[in-house]
Amino acid sequence: MKLVTFNHSGNVNVGLVRGDQVINLSAVAQNMTSLIEMYSGSFEQLRDQIEPISGGIPLENVELLAPIPGPRRNVMCLGLNYAEHAEEHYSASGRQTELPEYPIVFTKAPTSINGPYDDIPYDPTVTQELDWEVELAVIIGRKGKNIAVEEAMEYVFGYSVLNDVSARDLQRRHKQFFKGKSLDGTCPMGPWIVTADELTEPHNLRVTSRVNGIVKQDSNTAMMIFDVPSIIHHLSCGMTLLPGDIIATGTPSGVGFARQPPEFLQIGDIVECEVEGIGIIRNKVTSA
Ligand code: MG
């Protein structure tokens, strides 16, 4: 299932994409988080509740929002989870590459969430080094703690595309990543959640980004250092994961700051992020 949060004539609801139509699911769930909470580990029950609902609105007549526009807590993110990105990161700062022994984890504020086609606000008095990072996002479906690697996939509700837009100068200045990763609108995601029963092989998906049509990143989730079960295992050790939690699994090489010369986003730029089997998000950088 492709599940969306959409705005139609000022009403925001959760929906199912069926062909070129959106089916309004407000009869079964108030929002995406409550829909995810209906998932019990099997999609059969959820499908039985959703699929008989009829009627639809043409997709072209609705505005798609981020699938989870107001997550109840921060987006959890992996840093340096692709070896080639770790190499470019260390090389750009003149240091020897060290592959992480354990996942590097940071978060983005819930207020950074942005729609799949909405503008990314840019204020050059706040940052001059706004950068792109295409990522596969994992959406957690069930509450869990100390989740074993072998059972981790049962906790995955679905997947989405996410751009972990990053203010590099703020990342450096404030030492911890949080501030540089949390500017308003710097977490575009969508266009939908593809449920895990329809995307059964998340570790062989092409991941690409383009700026103004020029390919900047082109890799595959097969290149991740820590795969999805391993990420869920590590994050859930002693820390409860909740339905609706969003995990950004890291970005491949080709980001702006590591380029020679470095490249950063400018007002008017159009950034596209694509994950095979999910879709494309497209955002324009505009003056804040
Ligand atoms: Mg990232």
Side-chain angles (χ1 to χ4, degrees):
M1 295 178 281
K2 278 182 187 163
L3 301 169
V4 292
T5 297
F6 69 99
N7 178 356
H8 183 242
S9 308
N11 299 311
V12 173
N13 283 299
V14 62
L16 167 74
V17 177
R18 189 182 281 157
D20 58 0
Q21 305 271 309
V22 181
I23 314 298
N24 187 335
L25 301 181
S26 58
V28 294
Q30 245 184 345
N31 55 45
M32 188 66 82
T33 305
S34 51
L35 185 72
I36 294 170
E37 281 171 343
M38 291 163 62
Y39 170 75
S40 57
S42 141
F43 283 97
E44 231 173 69
Q45 229 180 336
L46 198 59
R47 281 180 180 277
D48 287 347
Q49 281 177 278
I50 288 177
E51 287 182 340
I53 300 172
S54 59
I57 308 157
L59 200 48
E60 59 183 9
N61 293 349
V62 308
E63 178 199 0
L64 295 184
L65 309 182
I68 305 174
R72 56 183 151 196
R73 54 186 188 166
N74 289 19
V75 177
M76 299 173 213
C77 307
L78 272 276
L80 307 184
N81 197 29
Y82 286 75
E84 286 178 359
H85 174 57
E87 279 161 25
E88 70 175 1
H89 166 89
Y90 285 107
S91 153
S93 45
R95 288 181 289 164
Q96 188 136 26
T97 301
E98 273 177 68
L99 294 186
E101 194 181 341
Y102 294 96
I104 296 170
V105 182
F106 62 91
T107 69
K108 290 175 88 76
T111 39
S112 68
I113 295 282
N114 202 348
Y117 311 119
D118 287 340
D119 292 347
I120 298 169
Y122 176 45
D123 180 351
T125 67
V126 173
T127 173
Q128 301 220 315
E129 298 189 358
L130 203 63
D131 203 346
W132 55 85
E133 291 194 357
V134 59
E135 309 201 6
L136 170 72
V138 173
I139 314 300
I140 294 295
R142 291 161 67 196
K143 186 175 175 178
K145 187 175 176 181
N146 300 326
I147 300 165
V149 168
E150 304 75 44
E151 287 161 15
M153 295 306 279
E154 296 166 25
Y155 289 80
V156 177
F157 180 78
Y159 303 93
S160 193
V161 182
L162 186 148
N163 187 353
D164 174 18
V165 179
S166 306
R168 302 299 183 195
D169 40 3
L170 299 186
Q171 249 183 283
R172 279 195 310 274
R173 189 185 304 162
H174 298 285
K175 308 302 175 198
Q176 295 209 356
F177 291 180
F178 177 58
K179 168 80 188 189
K181 294 284 192 173
S182 292
L183 297 182
D184 290 356
T186 57
C187 191
M189 68 177 296
W192 33 63
I193 295 171
V194 177
T195 52
D197 56 338
E198 283 185 10
L199 200 105
T200 53
E201 188 30 81
H203 301 110
N204 186 22
L205 304 173
R206 192 174 180 189
V207 177
T208 48
S209 70
R210 291 174 288 276
V211 177
N212 302 326
I214 298 164
V215 176
K216 299 294 182 185
Q217 297 176 280
D218 187 358
S219 187
N220 193 292
T221 55
M223 306 298 285
M224 283 183 192
I225 297 171
F226 299 100
D227 64 9
V228 174
S230 169
I231 293 169
I232 291 173
H233 166 68
H234 281 289
L235 280 174
S236 71
C237 281
M239 184 182 89
T240 304
L241 294 182
L242 299 173
D245 277 349
I246 303 164
I247 302 171
T249 58
T251 201
S253 60
V255 297
F257 85 88
R259 294 180 165 265
Q260 295 298 335
E263 294 172 26
F264 297 106
L265 293 169
Q266 305 298 332
I267 288 165
D269 283 349
I270 292 173
V271 197
E272 287 176 301
C273 293
E274 178 168 11
V275 179
E276 183 184 1
I278 304 174
I280 302 176
I281 60 175
R282 184 181 298 107
N283 305 86
K284 187 176 181 180
V285 179
T286 58
S287 181

